[in-house]
Amino acid sequence: MARKQGSKQLILEFFLQNIGRVLESRDIQEASGGAVEWARRVRELRNEEGYQILSHKDRADLKPNQYLLETTHRVPSFKRNISKETRAWVLERNGYTCQMCGAAAGDPDPFGGSRTVRLEMGHILDKSKGGDDSPQNLRAVCSNCNEGLQNTALPKPDRIHLLAQVRRATIQDQRVLLEWLLKKFKLETK
Ligand SMILES: [Zn+2]
């Protein structure tokens, strides 16, 4: 926990020393003391602490590995506008599954070693394009997809190919799938 706080503070100081200057991913990571989760820390500074750190999602002239803080002015985070009830409703509606990559809450995180997948609220129509925080515009998205780590949304497999895949899988993998399905539907019928 202490180390986590540390890298976020280091990143913040780096941004504050470079107001108005475009910063590259590798420089931010270096400034963070080499934190693996530097991108998550950047997002926390933005979403939880209200620093207006811009990325390629906000400005067309920024490349995907570039970030920019133009002002020390902080805005209240929109994350807090989404109530616990809304969050619970959206997660339930989406079956506790990332709507971009299909990872489920509690699955091993493909990027995170010993971490497990964490679901967050994503916007169907981006806020920069006028989307709001209403439940209808929200969906469950894992933190990796939210950070753009998995930038390709997988198309939904059709049923015939999906079943063929499952039949070809090893018995052991089929058992893992069965356990996952049982767990999932127990959750949903509750
Ligand atoms: Zn995902």
Side-chain angles (χ1 to χ4, degrees):
M1 203 64 181
R3 212 180 53 191
K4 222 167 145 180
Q5 296 285 352
S7 60
K8 187 156 77 179
Q9 192 57 36
L10 290 170
I11 292 171
L12 175 58
E13 281 163 17
F14 185 56
F15 271 110
L16 293 175
Q17 284 158 10
N18 290 284
I19 298 276
R21 217 173 293 164
V22 174
L23 303 177
E24 306 259 333
S25 302
R26 60 166 188 275
D27 296 326
I28 299 168
Q29 185 171 26
E30 203 184 294
S32 76
V36 179
E37 298 195 304
W38 66 272
R40 184 163 292 181
R41 301 289 92 81
V42 168
R43 203 164 40 78
E44 285 169 1
L45 286 170
R46 196 177 143 133
N47 294 348
E48 292 168 18
E49 304 197 16
Y51 286 99
Q52 302 180 67
I53 298 169
L54 305 173
S55 73
H56 70 285
K57 289 180 191 165
D58 310 292
R59 289 251 306 246
D61 57 336
L62 291 174
K63 297 198 184 86
N65 64 335
Q66 293 181 329
Y67 296 85
L68 172 64
L69 181 65
E70 290 182 308
T71 167
T72 56
H73 178 67
R74 291 155 74 175
V75 292
S77 80
F78 66 78
K79 229 179 162 180
R80 292 192 195 110
N81 298 341
I82 301 170
S83 70
K84 267 189 180 160
E85 291 73 23
T86 298
R87 210 183 121 79
W89 185 82
V90 171
L91 288 175
E92 173 116 19
R93 187 191 60 193
N94 289 156
Y96 300 89
T97 304
C98 172
Q99 298 303 293
M100 289 178 80
C101 72
D107 279 355
D109 187 329
F111 290 90
S114 60
R115 278 206 321 254
T116 53
V117 168
R118 220 181 43 190
L119 294 177
E120 301 172 347
M121 292 294 102
H123 292 85
I124 294 166
L125 179 65
D126 204 78
K127 299 223 3 159
S128 65
K129 298 198 173 85
D132 60 16
D133 287 335
S134 67
Q136 291 73 21
N137 192 44
L138 293 170
R139 60 179 178 169
V141 176
C142 75
S143 50
N144 292 325
C145 286
N146 226 1
E147 280 163 22
L149 288 178
Q150 277 155 239
N151 46 20
T152 47
L154 291 173
K156 286 207 168 142
D158 66 72
R159 196 180 295 172
I160 290 169
H161 287 102
L162 183 61
L163 287 173
Q165 285 283 85
V166 173
R167 289 195 196 99
R168 272 165 45 206
T170 63
I171 293 295
Q172 207 184 0
D173 283 347
Q174 290 186 14
R175 282 196 178 279
V176 171
L177 176 65
L178 177 64
E179 275 158 32
W180 179 78
L181 285 171
L182 287 172
K183 202 171 124 203
K184 175 186 162 89
F185 286 101
K186 219 181 283 163
L187 272 175
E188 288 210 318
T189 50
K190 229 191 319 196

